[in-house]
């Protein structure tokens, strides 16, 4: 008898985005003359930077020639891209990362989901609440979380992100082995200082633990004092793996390119306590299960680091950050408190009411779609996430409607 992986039965079906879609569809049916403005889903809306498009086209043309054709590339990514990443994203900021420590992939979602398979299923996992759901669900699938009851998995150590800690979780009281952190954060938009990250790096070193650091939103950082990479923290090379993506930084959500950094010093232990290189393990896993990102996509990603590419990406992100400012100003004007938006495309608003009630209010009174915070975890109750990923015109129109409806 063929049997399923019954850990899958523990997954809490996420009805979040389908529930939102149903509510939006019902609203539109009852109000056929009203258009709905979507500030809910975390997907970019602007086209790819011109420098990326140019490189993308040129690479496609190369593929049409015998001399320029590329078959299977190196699983870890082409040297031209790995070198550009090491130079521009790390060395330029004083973070020590070498090209051969970079693993190019087709997404940070897959990487953050796949990485856990190189660790024991007995690991104690610490996961923030609220959270990007991938970290949690992939550990459920692997059987690390225990049963779900009273809104939480009993085997997970939740790291509460609340107003009290300014949405940067404190160290857990118990010992954990694997720690997920994401800054600038999705969904809260909060950031962590070097001092705050140092606390986690020191904990990981003292406990022989490992940090999985998701920096998918680092390009939104405008505060010069904030770290873009965990490797800007002393000692992090021994205890941290970092995930990056071109999805939000260069509009690659539909083009697909990302990378994972596994420093050579990073180790994990076998049952006898012997240290093993995580670089070697991840390299083995990556080469066995992945055949590389397409050549044209890697050429398009490389163009992000050209002078034009850098300027165009900055302009793209500045546009979203300006949207975030407009959203934040409207929230303040209406008397709401919020975090995020200044180094992040997300604004996390305290509604002082049930998340879904707040969602319904904005949809029914203003025709604006946000995301109820409760969908990201228990600590998200009472909040909504508003995304800055939309056109200036739509964001201004949405805020005007919310102002009229609520003031
Ligand atoms: C959008 C996002 C990513 C990027 O995922 P890709 O698969 O590279 O598109 C990673 N982490 C978080 C928290 C995100 O919100």
């Amino acid at each position: 008898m063929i049997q399923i992986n019954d850990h899958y039965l523990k997954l809490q079906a996420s009805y979040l985005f389908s529930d939102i879609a149903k509510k939006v569809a019902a609203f539109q049916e009852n109000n056929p003359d009203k258009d709905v403005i979507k500030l809910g889903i975390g997907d970019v809306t602007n086209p790819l930077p011109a420098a990326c498009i140019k490189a993308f086209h040129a690479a496609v043309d190369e593929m049409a020639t015998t001399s320029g054709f590329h078959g299977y590339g190196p699983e870890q990514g082409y040297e031209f891209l790995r070198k550009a990443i090491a130079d521009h994203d790390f060395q330029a900021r004083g973070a020590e990362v070498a090209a051969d420590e970079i693993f190019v992939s087709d997404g940070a979602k897959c990487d953050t989901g796949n990485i856990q398979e190189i660790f024991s299923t007995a690991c104690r996992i610490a996961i923030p609440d609220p959270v990007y759901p991938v970290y949690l669900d992939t550990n459920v699938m692997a059987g690390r979380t225990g049963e779900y009851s009273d809104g939480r998995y009993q085997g997970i150590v939740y790291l509460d992100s609340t107003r009290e800690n300014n949405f940067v979780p404190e160290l857990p009281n118990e010992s954990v082995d694997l720690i997920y952190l994401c800054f600038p954060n999705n969904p809260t938009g909060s950031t962590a200082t070097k001092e705050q990250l140092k606390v986690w790096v020191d904990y990981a070193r003292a406990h022989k633990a490992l940090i999985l650091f998701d920096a998918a939103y680092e390009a939104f950082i405008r505060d010069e004092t904030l770290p873009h990479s965990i490797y800007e923290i002393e000692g992090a090379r021994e205890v941290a793996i970092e995930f990056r993506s071109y999805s939000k930084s260069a509009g690659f959500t539909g083009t697909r390119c990302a990378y994972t950094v596994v420093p050579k010093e990073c180790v994990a232990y076998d049952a006898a306590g012997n240290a093993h290189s995580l670089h070697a393990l991840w390299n083995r896993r990556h080469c066995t299960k992945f055949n590389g990102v397409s050549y044209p996509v890697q050429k398009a990603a490389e163009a992000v680091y050209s002078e034009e590419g850098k300027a165009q990406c900055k302009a793209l992100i500045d546009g979203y950050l300006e949207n975030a400012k407009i959203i934040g100003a409207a929230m303040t004007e209406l008397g709401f408190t919020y975090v995020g938006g200044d180094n992040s495309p997300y604004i996390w608003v305290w509604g002082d009411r049930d998340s879904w009630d707040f969602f319904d209010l904005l949809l029914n009174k203003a025709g604006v779609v946000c995301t109820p915070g409760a969908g990201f975890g228990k600590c998200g109750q009472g909040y909504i996430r508003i995304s800055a990923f939309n056109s200036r015109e739509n964001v201004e129109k949405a805020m005007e409607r919310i102002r009229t409806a609520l003031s």
Side-chain angles (χ1 to χ4, degrees):
M1 180 180 71
I2 175 72
Q3 233 180 311
I4 60 162
N5 171 354
D6 58 9
H7 297 306
Y8 274 61
L9 302 178
K10 296 178 197 156
L11 287 165
Q12 299 306 298
S14 172
Y15 295 118
L16 179 64
F17 287 105
S18 65
D19 283 351
I20 292 172
K22 271 183 219 149
K23 282 179 180 259
V24 173
F27 174 83
Q28 283 187 313
E29 205 175 299
N30 297 331
N31 303 275
D33 50 322
K34 286 203 185 120
D35 68 315
V36 168
I37 302 174
K38 293 182 177 160
L39 302 179
I41 294 174
D43 193 1
V44 297
T45 54
N46 287 326
L48 290 173
C52 298
I53 286 296
K54 196 171 150 215
F56 209 171
H57 274 298
V60 170
D61 286 341
E62 270 188 77
M63 295 292 274
T65 67
T66 306
S67 61
F69 174 77
H70 288 72
Y72 289 128
E75 290 93 342
Q76 302 87 343
Y78 284 103
E79 187 57 26
F80 63 79
L81 181 56
R82 299 173 88 195
K83 172 121 182 37
I85 291 168
D87 288 350
H88 295 269
D89 284 345
F90 298 99
Q91 305 287 355
R93 292 198 58 83
E96 191 198 332
V97 169
D100 66 354
E101 295 175 319
I102 289 155
F103 295 86
V104 176
S105 78
D106 60 358
K109 182 182 193 173
C110 344
D111 286 348
T112 53
N114 289 332
I115 194 81
Q116 49 80 25
E117 76 174 65
I118 65 172
F119 305 108
S120 161
T121 50
C123 285
R124 284 287 280 173
I125 313 281
I127 292 185
D129 179 353
V131 75
Y132 180 58
V134 179
Y135 315 151
L136 187 59
D137 285 355
T138 52
N139 278 293
V140 176
M141 291 168 175
R144 282 195 196 87
T145 60
E147 294 301 327
Y148 187 82
S149 78
D150 193 24
R152 286 190 155 177
Y153 289 96
Q154 299 308 305
I156 289 284
V157 175
Y158 288 90
L159 305 172
D160 292 354
S161 305
T162 62
R163 259 167 304 164
E164 286 68 36
N165 58 30
N166 207 21
F167 306 95
V168 178
E170 286 120 33
L171 294 176
N173 296 323
E174 53 206 296
S175 185
V176 296
D177 307 309
L178 192 59
I179 301 152
Y180 288 82
L181 295 176
C182 172
F183 292 107
N185 189 261
N186 177 12
T188 70
S190 65
T191 52
T193 63
K194 283 186 183 166
E195 293 70 31
Q196 286 169 320
L197 289 184
K198 179 83 166 51
V199 169
W200 285 96
V201 168
D202 290 347
Y203 174 93
R205 291 173 58 143
H207 291 78
K208 293 188 171 173
L210 188 84
I211 297 168
L212 299 176
F213 190 74
D214 187 342
Y217 294 95
E218 63 74 35
F220 288 78
I221 294 175
R222 288 293 175 270
D223 179 339
E224 295 288 333
T225 67
L226 293 172
H228 288 237
S229 165
I230 192 135
Y231 305 118
E232 291 175 50
I233 314 303
E234 198 197 326
R237 283 180 55 83
E238 293 163 35
V239 290
I241 288 174
E242 182 164 306
F243 304 94
R244 293 272 188 112
S245 173
Y246 298 100
S247 283
K248 317 298 165 33
S249 63
F252 273 53
T253 52
T255 306
R256 312 304 304 144
C257 197
Y259 65 87
T260 292
V261 183
V262 188
K264 299 262 177 64
E265 287 95 312
C266 252
V267 293
Y269 304 84
D270 62 25
N274 305 307
H276 296 267
S277 159
L278 288 178
H279 184 277
L281 273 188
W282 183 245
N283 189 52
R284 188 73 171 86
R285 190 270 170 209
H286 197 70
C287 294
T288 301
K289 294 196 177 183
F290 188 65
N291 241 343
V293 174
S294 81
Y295 174 72
V297 167
Q298 291 194 58
K299 287 305 272 186
E302 183 194 21
V304 162
Y305 302 105
S306 64
E307 283 312 310
E308 319 84 79
K310 277 184 187 172
Q312 289 159 6
C313 288
K314 182 172 181 297
L316 201 62
I317 291 167
D318 281 345
Y320 292 130
L321 286 170
E322 192 58 40
N323 288 348
K325 240 183 224 146
I326 292 167
I327 296 167
M331 292 302 116
T332 301
E333 203 182 306
L334 288 164
F336 293 113
T337 55
Y338 70 93
V339 284
D342 37 10
N343 297 286
S344 149
Y346 299 124
I347 289 98
W348 187 242
V349 187
W350 171 242
D352 200 19
R353 74 196 85 194
D354 178 83
S355 281
W356 279 104
D357 288 349
F358 202 4
F359 170 90
D360 287 335
L361 182 71
L362 294 189
L363 176 62
N364 296 323
K365 289 269 173 66
V368 174
V369 181
C370 64
T371 313
F376 298 104
K378 217 173 184 174
C379 294
Q381 181 53 271
Y383 293 88
I384 54 163
R385 187 190 75 178
I386 305 182
S387 158
F389 291 131
N390 212 314
S391 65
R392 179 65 39 80
E393 190 192 354
N394 278 343
V395 167
E396 281 173 346
K397 201 156 94 185
M399 292 309 116
E400 200 41 55
R401 285 199 209 159
I402 293 175
R403 265 196 211 94
T404 310
L406 300 190
S407 54

